[in-house]
Amino acid sequence: MTSEFSLAGRSALVIGASNPIGRAIAVALAEAGADVAVATTTRAQAEEVTANSCSNEMWALNRKSFAEAIDAADEGDVRGVIDRTVSELGKLDVLVNAQDLPFAKPAVETTLGEWRRVVDINLGGVFIASREAGRVMLAHGGGRIINIASVLGERGMANGAAYCAAQAGVFNLTRALALEWAREGLNVNAIGAGWTEGMGIIGGDEGRQQLERYLPYKRLARPDEIAGAAVYLASDTSAYLTGQVIWIEGGALSHV
Amino acid sequence: MAGVLDKLRLDGKVAIVTGAGRGLGRAMALSLAGAGADIVATARTHVQVEETADHVKAKGRRGEWVSCDVTDSSSVAAMVQSTLDSFGRIDILVNNAGGATDGMGNTLDKISDKQWHIGIDTNLTGAVYCSRAVIPHMQDVGGGKIINVTSGFGLRAGRNNFMYTSAKAGLINFTRALAMTYAQDIQANLIAPGLFPHDIPAAVEFWRGGKFTPMGRLGKDEELGPLCVFLASGLTSYMNGQIVVLDGGGLAGGHAPTGFAPLVPLPQEGA
C-alpha cells in the first residue's frame, strides 16, 4: 500500500545537511522516497566530508543525490546548487533550509563582522535560497520550503544576541513568504527545533548537562525526532498548511 | 527502506475520538483507521457515530461507537471502561468534541451563567475529563498520545465570541501542563484548524468559501486527518505541548487584510 505521506518522485535540496538535523532530514526525505541533493552551510572541510557521506546514504537508498560544499550566504553558490539540483535531479519540489552557523558570545564583545556573518548565514542564507528556489517553484506550479530554526528564535539566551536575532528572523521570514505565495501552491513553513544532540549551539558538556537537568524529557532531542516533521511538511498531506511553525522541542517552550 | 513511513503506521494502536460523528472528528477517526488504528468513536448522540464506526470497519479496522457526554465525568468513565472491555488498551485520545454553543454571537451582558458554563464544559472541561480518565491506561501500555483540537480562536479572539475563545485558549495551556507533567510517557499536542466547513453549504456561504483567507479557500476535512496521524505517530516522540495550525495561512498574517502587499522602494541616497 502506498503511503499518503510518500515522497516518491519528488526532488529535494537540503542546505545544511552537514549538521545533524539537516542530515537527518535528508535521510528521512530519502526514506520517504525523494531524491535528495545535499549542501553544506560553509565550505569547511569537515562539513564537506559529512555532506558527502550523507549523499552516499542517499545512493544506498537508491535515490539520486549529490553533495556540494557551499557558503550558504553566497548568492552565486546558492544559485549554483539550486541550478544543479534542477539539472541533475530533474526538478526542485522541496527546499529545506537547515543551514546553521552556531555562535554565542557576550554582546559587548561581538564585532559587527561576527554579527553580520551570523545573520548572513542563518537568516540571509534562508532568504537567498528561498528566493532562488521560489523562482524555480513558482514557474512549475509550486513546491515546499521548510525552514529549520530553533527555540532560540522564540526565546532569548545570554550570549545569543546575533544567533537569537537571526533565528527569530527565520520565523517571520517564513510567515511573510507564506502569505506572498499562498495562492501559488508554494507552501512555506518552519520547524522549530528544540535542543538537539550534536548541534553546535549547545557548546560543551557542561552546557549539555545543564539542559538535560532542565528539560521535561531530561534529555535532548535525537536528530531523527526533528526530521519526521519535514516528511509531513514535504508531502501532499500538508497542502493546507502554510506560514506555520511545527515545534519539536520536548515541551521546553511550555515552561513558565 | 521506508523507515520513516513505517513510523507513520499505527497498527495495533487503539484510538478514542470524541465528537467523531461528523466533520473533522470523523475525518480524523478515518485517517487514524487508515493508518492502522482501531477506533472508538464517541458523541452524545449515536446515529452519526454508528456511521463513523461503519466507515472504520469498511477500512478493515475494528470500529466501535459509544455514546458519551464529555461534560459528565461518569459518562466519560463509562466510555473509557467500554473501550478497555472491547480493546484492552488505549494509545491515542483525540479530544475533538466541542464547538459553538448557545450564547455565541452575543455581547457579554447577554450571556447567562448557564450558557457560559455549557460553553466552557463542552470545549474545555470535556477534554480535561477524557484526558484524566485515559492517562493511567496509556501509562499501562508504556505511553500514549493526546491530541486536542483547539482553534484559531484559541490563539486570537473574535468579537462577541467569549466562551469559545476562552475555552479554546484554556485548552492550549491545559495541553502544555499535560506536556510538562507527563513528558516522555505521553505526548500532548494541539491541532488548530482554520475554516473547515466545506461540506456544510450554509457555513461555506457564511465564510464566503474562504475567499478572504491567504490560500483563498476553505480546508477540506480530509486535509486534517493526516496531521492527526502525524501527531499520533512515532515521528512525534519529542513533540510535546505544541500547536500545529492548519489554516491555509490565516494566522501567518491577520494584522492587515489578505492580499495587502505594498511596494515601497528604498530612499535614494543623497537625492
Side-chain angles (χ1 to χ4, degrees), chain B residues 11-64:
Chain B
D11 303 286
K13 305 283 185 191
V14 174
I16 295 171
V17 182
T18 69
R22 59 192 162 93
L24 299 178
R26 175 178 285 179
M28 289 188 282
L30 296 183
S31 267
L32 293 171
D38 295 325
I39 305 294
V40 173
T42 85
R44 267 178 305 190
T45 52
H46 68 88
V47 180
Q48 289 173 310
V49 275
E50 275 190 71
E51 215 175 275
T52 301
D54 288 342
H55 288 306
V56 168
K57 287 175 197 153
K59 287 181 176 285
R61 307 309 321 166
R62 290 180 67 197
E64 304 222 338

Side-chain angles (χ1 to χ4, degrees), chain A residues 196-237:
Chain A
T196 304
E197 299 281 0
M199 294 301 286
I201 195 67
I202 293 159
D205 282 346
E206 195 190 333
R208 182 204 164 93
Q209 283 155 15
Q210 279 179 296
L211 289 171
E212 285 171 347
R213 280 195 295 276
Y214 172 81
L215 291 168
Y217 278 60
K218 305 298 172 202
R219 68 171 176 87
L220 276 57
R222 297 187 315 268
D224 67 281
E225 290 179 303
I226 308 296
V231 174
Y232 171 64
L233 289 174
S235 77
D236 286 341
T237 62

Side-chain angles (χ1 to χ4, degrees), chain A residues 179 183 240, chain B residues 195 203-218 247-250 254 256-260:
Chain A
L179 290 176
R183 299 204 177 179
Y240 199 55
Chain B
L195 302 174
V204 173
E205 196 184 322
F206 180 79
W207 296 115
R208 291 184 286 144
K211 211 165 60 178
F212 56 89
T213 66
M215 278 196 184
R217 67 173 176 91
L218 301 171
D247 73 344
T258 296
F260 183 72

Side-chain angles (χ1 to χ4, degrees), chain B:
Chain B
M1 292 301 285
V4 78
L5 296 180
D6 293 340
K7 284 191 188 171
L8 285 156
R9 294 294 307 171
L10 303 173
D11 303 286
K13 305 283 185 191
V14 174
I16 295 171
V17 182
T18 69
R22 59 192 162 93
L24 299 178
R26 175 178 285 179
M28 289 188 282
L30 296 183
S31 267
L32 293 171
D38 295 325
I39 305 294
V40 173
T42 85
R44 267 178 305 190
T45 52
H46 68 88
V47 180
Q48 289 173 310
V49 275
E50 275 190 71
E51 215 175 275
T52 301
D54 288 342
H55 288 306
V56 168
K57 287 175 197 153
K59 287 181 176 285
R61 307 309 321 166
R62 290 180 67 197
E64 304 222 338
W65 60 269
V66 183
S67 295
C68 177
D69 176 358
V70 295
T71 69
D72 171 357
S73 62
S74 61
S75 174
V76 169
M79 178 271 287
V80 167
Q81 191 53 52
S82 155
T83 303
L84 291 168
D85 291 345
S86 299
F87 294 97
R89 61 185 292 146
I90 299 168
D91 303 278
I92 298 158
L93 167 67
V94 182
N95 282 310
N96 170 69
T101 51
D102 187 30
M104 271 279 277
N106 276 322
T107 52
L108 191 52
D109 56 296
K110 296 198 176 63
I111 296 171
S112 70
D113 292 6
K114 192 175 166 211
Q115 286 171 331
W116 173 264
H117 286 297
I118 289 172
I120 299 295
D121 283 357
T122 306
N123 288 292
L124 174 58
T125 312
V128 175
Y129 288 166
C130 291
S131 302
R132 187 177 65 186
V134 302
I135 284 171
H137 304 294
M138 289 181 172
Q139 288 172 321
D140 282 348
V141 294
K145 302 278 188 176
I146 297 176
I147 296 157
N148 291 328
V149 181
T150 180
S151 159
F153 284 117
L155 292 155
R156 303 205 187 150
R159 184 179 299 135
N160 293 340
N161 177 347
F162 290 97
M163 294 91 69
Y164 189 69
T165 202
S166 301
K168 290 298 191 186
L171 187 58
I172 292 173
N173 242 17
F174 171 67
T175 308
R176 292 189 180 118
L178 286 178
M180 295 291 301
T181 309
Y182 299 105
Q184 306 203 49
D185 283 357
I186 287 164
Q187 283 86 51
N189 292 293
L190 300 121
I191 296 174
L195 302 174
F196 271 78
H198 80 287
D199 59 352
I200 307 166
V204 173
E205 196 184 322
F206 180 79
W207 296 115
R208 291 184 286 144
K211 211 165 60 178
F212 56 89
T213 66
M215 278 196 184
R217 67 173 176 91
L218 301 171
K220 302 169 196 147
D221 290 346
E222 59 271 23
E223 287 181 304
L224 197 75
L227 175 56
C228 187
V229 171
F230 170 66
L231 293 177
S233 80
L235 292 188
T236 50
S237 53
Y238 202 73
M239 182 171 179
N240 224 334
Q242 284 300 334
I243 311 167
V244 181
V245 180
L246 187 70
D247 73 344
L251 290 193
H255 51 94
T258 296
F260 183 72
L263 294 170
V264 183
L266 288 175
Q268 295 292 314
E269 296 281 339

